Amino acid sequence: MINLAILISGRGSNMEAILRAIKKKKILAKPVVVISNKPGAKGLEIAQKLGVKTVVVDSTGLKGISWEYDQKIIATLEENNVTSRNGLVCLAGFMRIMSPQFILHYKGRILNIHPAILPAFPGLHSQRQAIEYGVKYSGCTVHFVDEGMDTGPIILQAIVKVKDGDTEESLSKRILKQEHRIYPKAVRLYAQGRIKTKGRKVILL
Ligand code: GRF
């Protein structure tokens, strides 16, 4: 069974969706630790209520990529037995960019959810970018994390129609509903060993 770690910075609703799916035995994985870089993250309370260990690795004052900081994350992961052999690291609203060294360490074992149909609208405020661009459809993407910004191989995507009069909030809300559906699904596929990559293409077995 894989040992799962979830990294958050805030609300933690995707984390909650994954943890609940594990509770319901829809995903066969051991949720060993939730790590937040922000001491007050709301998701920390949710994780605790669900009986999952939480650790804060505070990044206050740190700007940009930091291998030094990421080594603290690796140390926390390894203390909790999330290793480069048995672990899966899910970024769920984790607002830091990981260093290339970190990504190499957990190569093929880091997932992220992004609130747009990648490669469109990477980076921050994707829902606002989608509305301002005038696209008729947006959605969300679960992907492997590589050294780029939201550029890793795509595992699952879900489409959401952009309605006339949508605001960043209203669109975000509908996209989030789909995020909560496809992120647990991707973790389940991973835990079942059903995700294969060929270059940047993902094949679901
Ligand atoms: C989600 O919209 C996710 O796609 C993005 O950050 C947000 C995190 O929300 N990466 P939550 O903390 O999971 O509620």
Side-chain angles (χ1 to χ4, degrees), residues 10-15 92-93 113-115 127 176 179:
R11 185 174 57 182
S13 70
N14 278 289
M15 170 210 76
I113 178 105
H114 183 76
Q127 302 95 330
L176 193 63
E179 294 183 34

Side-chain angles (χ1 to χ4, degrees), residues 22-55:
I22 292 173
K23 277 222 150 175
K24 286 191 200 148
K25 308 237 183 302
K26 287 188 181 165
I27 303 172
L28 262 174
K30 200 169 164 212
V32 285
V33 68
V34 166
I35 302 174
S36 171
N37 67 318
K38 297 239 168 84
K42 221 184 119 209
L44 289 169
E45 283 169 42
I46 301 170
Q48 284 155 14
K49 276 196 192 132
L50 291 170
V52 179
K53 178 177 177 183
T54 60
V55 177

Side-chain angles (χ1 to χ4, degrees), residues 65 91 94-98 103 112 114 118-126 129 143-153 200:
I65 298 174
L91 309 184
F94 188 65
M95 301 303 283
R96 288 192 53 79
I97 298 175
M98 312 310 291
I103 288 154
N112 184 42
H114 183 76
L118 290 170
F121 313 126
L124 293 175
H125 303 296
S126 316
Q129 290 185 55
H143 63 93
F144 282 106
V145 175
D146 68 5
E147 291 77 6
M149 162 84 96
D150 301 322
T151 53
R200 62 161 297 111

Side-chain angles (χ1 to χ4, degrees), residues 30 32 40 42 47 58 62 72 125 130 135 139 144 166 202-203:
K30 200 169 164 212
V32 285
K42 221 184 119 209
D58 198 344
L62 253 190
K72 294 185 196 164
H125 303 296
V135 291
F144 282 106
D166 248 337
V202 169
I203 297 147

